[in-house]
Amino acid sequence: MPTAVISPGKVLSGQVQPPPSKSMGHRILIASALAGGPLPEGLGDSQDIRATRACLSALGEGGMDLPVLDCGESGSTLRFFIPIALALRGGGVFLGRGRLMERPQGVYRELFLPRGIRWEQSGDRLTLQGRLAAGKFSLPGGVSSQFVTGLLFALPLVEGESELVLTSPLESRGYVDMTLAVLSGFGVEAENQDYQRFRVPGGQRYAPRAMEAEGDWSRDSVQGDRVVLEYMERLRGPGEVSLDLSGCPDLAPPLAAMAAVREGITRFTGAARLRMKESDRLSSIAAALTALGVRAEEGPDILTVQGQRALTGGTVDSCSDHRIAMMAAVLATRCQDPVTLTQPQCVEKSYPDFWMHYRMLGGEVYVI
């Protein structure tokens, strides 16, 4: 198993081209395929994007058998394709790796079982069989916005009008905004009623079009992560700061890195969903910071970080989580001693060029 040793105290400077938004890339690929057009290039080559491309290929293959969709470790791919496969092929066999099949899927299960859809899971294999039909779908908004996106992609394909009703406030609204923007761009109507109800006419057709994925993250964007500018500004000064992550959970690792080296205490709230990521990300962030000499404490849905003037360095377990690995690399620039990182290749899930770009900016990384 490879291990990376990251030299401490390096000053990173220069310019690199960040990868396209993975979240937008998934959506553009799916909409392009549903429109019957060619799959666009230039959407990055992360493991998650490759999983979506592979699933689209499998979904498009003919035959009477259920398609086999290998989702890798991509939660977006799995949750987007479940209702799409039910609408187009009457189900599918979904494969996953890592913690993917341990992540919550019960929202779909509770929606589909009463509708006569067979649901059977064994280890990393999930089999669904049945046809998605129009109707009223009531689901919580606080587990993951990906369930809403999956239904918004699939319900326009079936006959009859459908309605999504959220039984709790929608978290990560920005991701649903991205979905609605892509749907609109491909000529599909879905009416958003204050993020509580969504009206989706059936029998629609996706219209082919060319759409580029913006950078991750881009200015003037619907991406929820645009809040990073406000949050970074609040972290620039000393003192106590509280930041709500309920709408932007993926920002936790980079913001935690900034909190680790500022003067004062930072409390990250609304963070319970971080426990359902590629790792238990509340726990893995706290463990990584602690390993580097930072005082960090986790609670059920909170992370508290006491900033330090200097970090010690040490061994960080990436937990096979791409965002933990990248956080450790950033923090190495403020460490006194080297940072040893397990499984550095996990960055390929979202940012395959990360280590190359890190070196281009002046960082030093040695893989053992």
Side-chain angles (χ1 to χ4, degrees), residues 20-21 24-25 28 32 40-43 182 186 209-215:
S21 164
M24 187 67 83
I28 293 174
S32 298
E41 300 298 330
L43 298 177
V182 171
F186 282 82
R209 69 154 294 181
M211 180 180 287
E212 295 184 358
E214 57 194 23

Side-chain angles (χ1 to χ4, degrees), residues 247-270:
C248 53
D250 287 345
L251 290 181
L255 290 173
M258 193 169 182
V261 296
R262 66 180 293 268
E263 184 181 342
I265 295 175
T266 308
R267 292 184 177 86
F268 298 99
T269 62

Side-chain angles (χ1 to χ4, degrees), residues 280-330:
D280 176 343
R281 204 169 277 165
L282 267 184
S283 178
S284 54
I285 290 175
L289 295 181
T290 300
L292 299 179
V294 181
R295 292 175 57 188
E297 297 181 0
E298 58 173 303
D301 64 350
I302 191 171
L303 175 69
T304 303
V305 180
Q306 171 69 64
Q308 308 291 319
R309 295 181 64 88
L311 309 187
T312 59
T315 298
V316 172
D317 183 354
S318 73
C319 302
S320 296
D321 188 329
H322 54 133
R323 299 189 190 277
I324 300 302
M326 291 187 281
M327 180 187 75
V330 171

Side-chain angles (χ1 to χ4, degrees), residues 94 96 101-102 121-126:
F94 298 87
M101 290 302 182
E102 299 175 19
Q121 182 173 350
S122 177
D124 291 334
R125 185 184 186 93
L126 172 63

Side-chain angles (χ1 to χ4, degrees), residues 204-355:
Q204 300 189 64
R205 301 178 70 89
Y206 284 74
R209 69 154 294 181
M211 180 180 287
E212 295 184 358
E214 57 194 23
D216 189 10
W217 156 81
S218 302
R219 299 178 186 270
D220 301 321
S221 167
V222 296
Q223 295 181 49
D225 288 355
R226 64 187 180 275
V227 74
V228 71
L229 285 183
E230 174 193 340
Y231 282 7
M232 288 177 63
E233 189 63 31
R234 293 175 61 185
L235 290 174
R236 292 186 190 280
E240 294 193 11
V241 174
S242 181
L243 302 178
D244 181 5
L245 298 178
S246 60
C248 53
D250 287 345
L251 290 181
L255 290 173
M258 193 169 182
V261 296
R262 66 180 293 268
E263 184 181 342
I265 295 175
T266 308
R267 292 184 177 86
F268 298 99
T269 62
R273 285 189 300 139
L274 288 167
R275 296 196 182 279
M276 301 179 289
K277 298 294 185 177
E278 286 83 350
S279 67
D280 176 343
R281 204 169 277 165
L282 267 184
S283 178
S284 54
I285 290 175
L289 295 181
T290 300
L292 299 179
V294 181
R295 292 175 57 188
E297 297 181 0
E298 58 173 303
D301 64 350
I302 191 171
L303 175 69
T304 303
V305 180
Q306 171 69 64
Q308 308 291 319
R309 295 181 64 88
L311 309 187
T312 59
T315 298
V316 172
D317 183 354
S318 73
C319 302
S320 296
D321 188 329
H322 54 133
R323 299 189 190 277
I324 300 302
M326 291 187 281
M327 180 187 75
V330 171
L331 286 172
T333 65
R334 298 292 293 271
C335 286
Q336 298 171 333
D337 297 316
V339 173
T340 300
L341 177 69
T342 66
Q343 298 173 298
Q345 76 282 3
C346 65
V347 299
E348 295 177 10
K349 187 176 193 298
S350 62
Y351 196 165
D353 293 333
F354 177 79
W355 295 118

